[in-house]
Amino acid sequence: MTHTSPRLALTLTAVSVMVATNFIGAATAHAEEKPSVPPGTEATATAPVEVDPNDPDLKLPEGATLAEAKVLDIKQVVEDQSGDERREDTNADVKFALQAEVLFPKDSAKLNGEAKARIAAIAEEIKTQNATKIRVFGFTDNLGSSAHGDVLSKQRANAVEDILKSELNDPNITYEVRGYGEQYPIASNTTEASRKKNRRVEVSFPRSEN
């Protein structure tokens, strides 16, 4: 029987853009707290839309003024059907997340045979974006000691960095490599399926302005 590759089945997450139009002195809704993210990966969109506060079409209440306008990042997420690989695009950055199982044996930082091809594909996108600053962050689930997870996640991030350096061979590129262990989970850690999502290595870099 022939099976269709799960990598051909991609799921596109909704894209959202928001412009702040709250009025000072008027009732405002409170947004949910943003999830924790590793330092240096926060949203960075800074392109406020110019709005004329005197435009009669705004129909501001008497005495009210416009709050500062903000534009949030546009985020597009593409994930293969198996969940082994995910790509996130914003207007500022590109991020790839690879589950540890497709890169390493269990509880190991030694890359397997499939890993180089996956990392090489990311390197090609880095070339396309002309990126010169790359972050490689490792993460684990919450099983085992926190100290072990910190060490293993850093070792795995280092292993991915080594392949990227080999593929890119560019002395102008700088790397930020960290191991966060069980910090910053993207799933609950209550089931094996959710823990699998948390065992990952993320590679992120700025998008080209061109």
Side-chain angles (χ1 to χ4, degrees):
M1 180 180 294
T2 301
H3 296 281
T4 301
S5 171
R7 295 180 58 79
L8 298 179
L10 302 179
T11 304
L12 184 62
T13 298
V15 176
S16 62
V17 182
M18 181 179 298
V19 178
T21 56
N22 292 335
F23 301 132
I24 297 175
T28 60
H30 295 283
E32 294 181 0
E33 292 184 4
K34 291 186 290 186
S36 297
V37 294
T41 62
E42 301 88 349
T44 56
T46 56
V49 177
E50 293 186 8
V51 179
D52 181 3
N54 299 315
D55 189 328
D57 290 334
L58 288 177
K59 298 180 181 179
L60 293 176
E62 184 176 354
T65 58
L66 285 175
E68 181 182 358
K70 297 180 181 179
V71 177
L72 303 183
D73 269 325
I74 298 173
K75 178 181 286 188
Q76 176 176 289
V77 180
V78 178
E79 184 175 83
D80 64 16
Q81 190 175 41
S82 67
D84 290 344
E85 182 172 340
R86 185 178 71 255
R87 172 174 173 158
E88 296 182 9
D89 286 84
T90 71
N91 58 319
D93 297 289
V94 179
K95 179 168 68 177
F96 289 88
L98 295 171
Q99 287 191 352
E101 277 81 349
V102 303
L103 299 176
F104 307 97
K106 184 178 180 181
D107 203 31
S108 170
K110 183 178 180 180
L111 291 164
N112 62 32
E114 183 183 357
K116 185 175 181 179
R118 287 182 177 266
I119 299 169
I122 296 175
E124 288 302 313
E125 182 62 21
I126 292 171
K127 294 176 184 177
T128 299
Q129 299 297 338
N130 296 312
T132 57
K133 296 181 180 180
I134 302 172
R135 299 186 184 98
V136 186
F137 294 163
F139 305 85
T140 63
D141 58 28
N142 65 348
L143 298 180
S145 71
S146 176
H148 176 70
D150 291 344
V151 171
L152 180 61
S153 61
K154 179 62 161 57
Q155 290 174 337
R156 286 176 166 178
N158 286 336
V160 172
E161 177 200 21
D162 288 343
I163 299 298
L164 287 173
K165 284 183 174 179
S166 175
E167 292 291 326
L168 295 170
N169 192 26
D170 187 342
N172 296 315
I173 294 177
T174 59
Y175 297 81
E176 179 183 358
V177 184
R178 301 187 187 184
Y180 286 104
E182 64 188 55
Q183 297 182 70
Y184 309 109
I186 58 174
S188 66
N189 273 320
T190 56
T191 66
E192 175 55 25
S194 63
R195 288 190 292 270
K196 183 178 178 182
K197 291 180 178 294
N198 292 330
R199 299 190 294 264
R200 67 197 192 278
V201 175
E202 295 181 352
V203 179
S204 61
F205 44 91
R207 294 185 64 84
S208 171
E209 296 181 358
N210 298 328

